Amino acid sequence: MMSWMNKFGLTTKIVFLAVVMLLAVLTLNYIVFLKGYRSDMEAAMAEKAGAFTAVADEAKNHTGKLFTSGAIDVQTLVDEALAHVSKGGHYSETPFFEAIPVVAGWTAAGDAAAREGLEFEIVAFDARNTDNEPDRSSFEGTLLADLEAQLASGGPEHLMRINEETNTLHYQRAIALNDSCMMCHGQPGDPMGDPDGDGKDPLGFTMERWAVGDTHGAYQVRMPLDGVDASVASFFMSGAAFSTPVVVIGLGLFVFLLRMLVTKPIASVVAVVQDIAQGEGDLTKRLNIKRSDEIGKLGHWFDEFLNNIHSIISQVSGATTEVSAAATEIAASSEQMAHGLEHQRTQTSQVSAAV
């Protein structure tokens, strides 16, 4: 990697690294923001689902109070239901069934959910209506089992989870039994639900011996997340459409400033050094960079370096001239001395001959 980068100039390297770092930061920011945005939307959907299930629970509780207070003529409704069943009808078609508190609750919430395009239903293990009983190994069955375990350990009465396979949010709120539920699901011999003590409720179903406060099943809201995905994608595209021009303009300004503040001054230093190295060695050239940053300090001390080199060379040149002049004088003196010695030798020879 480094050997490959060494093939390019300094500006190219800096721009490349800046682009890589900028893209990395943008990518990380988008991942974090999009994840948080999706999480917030999922939380809002869960809150909406919780509101629908809370409506169902409160409708159940309100109708239960009417049951136990005598505001509803339960016996008349039971007699009408038994008469309808005896004629071959189904108990779910009777006013008594519609008046059952839990039925009133899920009917009210179900109708409201339908207007909002949501899927509302009841899920329960060992349900009298097998249509409401999920497979224990399914996603809904596992969620309901986890909700019951959560309640048993003292946890909240609701649980939310996303089915990744269907991209659907599931929200469940446990159904707590109240006094009105004991008429059909309580102890055998209950004066209201089982006056004859045969262990059967008014409609002939076996009473489960449950107690007030027990939970059985849950209200469930299912919400597809396709709309969330579309919203997240739209948010990303809007952000990209805004950030891309900003990034391009910012990179262009960065490259311009990089060339003005770094590349050109360094190129000036390189040009002067190259001219001195390859030319006639003109040491009188200077950079004259008037800046107080690192580039300015580099230019200042480079000029000082050239001044020192020029001064040293000038001194050496002057010393060389003086040495040359001294050598000339020495040579002249030597010649005169040699001439004197020759004259003396001649005179010595003449004296010797005379002797």
Side-chain angles (χ1 to χ4, degrees):
M1 177 67 177
M2 295 303 298
S3 60
W4 176 76
M5 288 288 291
N6 290 334
K7 299 178 181 178
F8 300 96
L10 180 61
T11 302
T12 303
K13 293 177 183 178
I14 295 176
V15 171
F16 174 77
L17 292 176
V19 170
V20 171
M21 293 179 64
L22 181 61
L23 291 179
V25 171
L26 285 176
T27 301
L28 181 61
N29 283 338
Y30 269 111
I31 291 175
V32 172
F33 282 121
L34 291 179
K35 186 177 180 180
Y37 180 67
R38 181 184 177 88
S39 178
D40 290 342
M41 292 193 67
E42 290 174 356
M45 294 177 70
E47 185 177 354
K48 183 177 181 181
F52 277 100
T53 57
V55 168
D57 206 43
E58 288 304 316
K60 171 183 74 69
N61 293 336
H62 177 70
T63 308
K65 292 178 180 178
L66 297 179
F67 251 68
T68 56
S69 67
I72 297 177
D73 188 353
V74 179
Q75 190 58 51
T76 298
L77 294 177
V78 170
D79 293 339
E80 291 176 354
L82 293 175
H84 183 74
V85 172
S86 66
K87 295 178 182 179
H90 195 269
Y91 68 88
S92 62
E93 302 168 346
T94 65
F96 172 71
F97 178 78
E98 295 293 334
I100 295 174
V102 68
V103 175
W106 84 51
T107 299
D111 291 344
R115 288 198 298 269
E116 295 295 326
L118 306 178
E119 299 180 27
F120 182 90
E121 58 191 353
I122 298 294
V123 289
F125 296 132
D126 303 320
R128 290 183 176 182
N129 184 355
T130 56
D131 292 339
N132 297 332
E133 184 165 358
D135 185 350
R136 290 181 179 268
S137 62
S138 67
F139 181 86
E140 294 176 346
T142 302
L143 182 61
L144 180 58
D146 291 344
L147 175 60
E148 292 181 347
Q150 178 176 283
L151 287 170
S153 62
E157 62 180 1
H158 55 82
L159 186 62
M160 185 274 288
R161 194 170 295 166
I162 294 175
N163 187 343
E164 301 293 345
E165 294 183 359
T166 60
N167 196 31
T168 305
L169 182 146
H170 292 247
Y171 185 96
Q172 291 184 1
R173 180 187 295 273
I175 300 175
L177 304 181
N178 55 29
D179 291 331
S180 65
C181 300
M182 299 300 101
M183 177 179 179
C184 297
H185 302 287
Q187 299 292 331
D190 181 272
M192 181 178 291
D194 185 25
D196 57 4
D198 63 352
K200 304 288 185 179
D201 69 6
L203 296 178
F205 291 98
T206 300
M207 302 179 75
E208 290 90 353
R209 300 177 179 271
W210 293 336
V212 174
D214 290 346
T215 58
H216 179 62
Y219 305 109
Q220 175 175 258
V221 175
R222 291 187 296 178
M223 308 175 76
L225 296 177
D226 295 339
V228 174
D229 294 337
S231 180
V232 170
S234 176
F235 178 80
F236 172 76
M237 294 303 295
S238 299
F242 172 79
S243 59
T244 299
V246 174
V247 170
V248 172
I249 295 173
L251 284 176
L253 181 61
F254 174 75
V255 172
F256 173 76
L257 294 176
L258 180 64
R259 289 183 177 277
M260 293 297 296
L261 299 177
V262 178
T263 306
K264 285 189 176 181
I266 293 179
S268 299
V269 175
V270 173
V272 172
V273 174
Q274 184 177 9
D275 184 63
I276 294 174
Q278 296 180 350
E280 298 180 354
D282 184 4
L283 298 178
T284 62
K285 292 185 176 181
R286 298 293 182 268
L287 294 175
N288 295 321
I289 299 177
K290 305 301 182 181
R291 291 164 52 172
S292 59
D293 56 9
E294 287 76 4
I295 298 296
K297 293 178 180 179
L298 173 63
H300 169 73
W301 290 112
F302 184 77
D303 288 344
E304 288 296 319
F305 171 74
L306 291 178
N307 289 334
N308 292 336
I309 294 296
H310 185 267
S311 176
I312 292 172
I313 292 177
S314 296
Q315 293 176 7
V316 170
S317 178
T320 301
T321 302
E322 292 177 358
V323 169
S324 177
T328 301
E329 292 178 358
I330 292 172
S333 298
S334 297
E335 185 177 352
Q336 291 176 359
M337 186 180 295
H339 180 72
L341 290 174
E342 179 64 25
H343 178 70
Q344 185 178 2
R345 188 186 65 83
T346 302
Q347 289 179 344
T348 301
S349 296
Q350 291 174 359
V351 171
S352 176
V355 173

